[in-house]
Amino acid sequence: FLPERSNLVGVQHILLVLSGKGGVGKSTISTELALSLRHSGKKVGILDVDLCGPSIPRMFRVQENSVHQCDSGWVPVFVDQDKSISLMSIGFLLEKPDDAVVWRGPKKNALIKQFVADVAWGDLDFLIVDTPPGTSDEHISTVEALRPYKLLGAILVTTPQAVSVGDVRRELTFCRKMGLRVLGIVENMSGFVCPHCLECTNIFSKGGGEELAKHAGVPFLGCVPLDPQLSQSLEEGRDFIQEFPKSSAFPALAHIAQQILDGTLQRSS
């Protein structure tokens, strides 16, 4: 059953970025994936359903923007002149940026449903959904609200250590229970690239994500290194969008984006 006038009618593919664990860089991967897909000429939206920690607006330096209403609902915030990346986040709805969202489940779930139904995305190649850590309320609401659109796939983000991989293993179980197709696993913070000599050092361990993918029988999409220069451009509010293609993480992310594009093409043919 699809609602008669759906705001997601023009959206070709929906990607959920998941991880059972906090601090593995879901928002960073969502952001960088959006930029990589945009580099491939795609139109991308990011829906930030991390209601208690909405960091997407800040990553794109649009945290001062607010959301306007149009006939078909909320107009998302556009990041660039040619409107190739659009964002929706609770961050745009808070009166003050430091306001905490102290809500029980039902109120969160109602907002997620509203985000899915009432944002006028227009035509998008990809809608990337950045989720909070865990496998509970917000995740169930998001999957249930998006399920009628059948375009759904999940990307799981882990860091290399065993503790992180263990938490992401639970997320895989969540995907199976929810009948959500896993497009693959990304190992983030996989080594640190020295800004001076460009040598890559494995600060944590290595290969946890790949092993988990093998064990679970899902594709391993690749390793994304920590690039301190990229992190710094985000922290200092420099033009992260311009600096992103020069980063050492870019080739890895471009490769991941290409695999997602290849996979979605195969499925739609």
Side-chain angles (χ1 to χ4, degrees):
F1 164 75
L2 277 175
E4 306 237 322
R5 181 195 58 75
S6 158
N7 276 323
L8 288 173
V9 151
V11 177
Q12 300 303 310
H13 302 284
I14 302 172
L15 302 178
L16 266 82
V17 178
L18 299 170
S19 172
K21 191 165 173 49
V24 296
K26 284 181 295 300
S27 298
T28 306
I29 292 289
S30 298
T31 298
E32 294 175 340
L33 206 47
L35 290 170
S36 302
L37 288 165
R38 188 189 86 155
H39 272 272
S40 304
K42 302 297 173 192
K43 273 192 91 162
V44 189
I46 303 183
L47 174 57
D48 182 3
V49 293
D50 190 349
L51 302 182
C52 297
S55 45
I56 292 288
R58 193 191 147 138
M59 289 190 160
F60 284 100
R61 288 169 63 197
V62 288
Q63 65 270 41
E64 304 303 321
N65 292 39
S66 53
V67 167
H68 304 290
Q69 290 277 351
C70 69
D71 291 347
S72 46
W74 282 326
V75 182
V77 169
F78 293 101
V79 169
D80 50 357
Q81 295 287 223
D82 50 1
K83 299 191 171 182
S84 58
I85 297 185
S86 49
L87 314 175
M88 185 63 197
S89 169
I90 194 174
F92 299 131
L93 306 176
L94 300 174
E95 281 185 21
K96 293 198 283 296
D98 295 342
D99 284 355
V101 178
V102 188
W103 291 1
R104 289 188 186 276
K107 197 170 175 187
K108 287 182 181 175
N109 298 346
L111 182 67
I112 288 171
K113 285 195 184 106
Q114 202 177 347
F115 271 172
V116 169
D118 290 351
V119 180
W121 292 107
D123 292 331
L124 289 181
D125 295 299
F126 288 92
L127 177 63
I128 296 173
V129 184
D130 182 29
T131 65
T135 52
S136 57
D137 256 16
E138 288 103 310
H139 301 79
I140 298 166
S141 302
T142 304
V143 175
E144 288 301 333
L146 290 169
R147 200 188 291 287
Y149 302 97
K150 297 274 188 294
L151 321 153
L152 219 48
I155 290 166
L156 272 61
V157 182
T158 185
T159 51
Q161 315 92 302
V163 170
S164 172
V165 169
D167 285 346
V168 178
R169 193 172 278 131
R170 291 182 196 101
E171 196 74 45
L172 273 164
T173 315
F174 167 81
C175 292
R176 297 223 164 96
K177 283 190 169 158
M178 296 298 286
L180 195 55
R181 199 181 59 249
V182 177
L183 299 177
I185 292 175
V186 171
E187 184 177 289
N188 193 26
M189 307 187 203
S190 183
F192 164 82
V193 180
C194 171
H196 308 294
C197 69
L198 299 181
E199 192 175 318
C200 192
T201 310
N202 296 322
I203 299 181
F204 303 120
S205 49
K206 191 162 172 56
E210 196 162 2
E211 207 155 298
L212 175 60
K214 204 181 296 171
H215 176 79
V218 299
F220 179 65
L221 297 174
C223 298
V224 180
L226 268 172
D227 182 341
Q229 288 173 317
L230 198 59
S231 314
Q232 207 172 352
S233 87
L234 261 178
E235 280 296 300
E236 293 171 3
R238 298 205 308 268
D239 198 338
F240 171 73
I241 300 173
Q242 292 306 117
E243 296 188 10
F244 171 64
K246 303 178 203 139
S247 77
S248 52
F250 181 70
L253 284 147
H255 176 62
I256 291 167
Q258 192 53 53
Q259 289 177 84
I260 290 164
L261 289 170
D262 293 346
T264 51
L265 283 171
Q266 279 164 12
R267 280 194 302 278
S268 50
S269 58

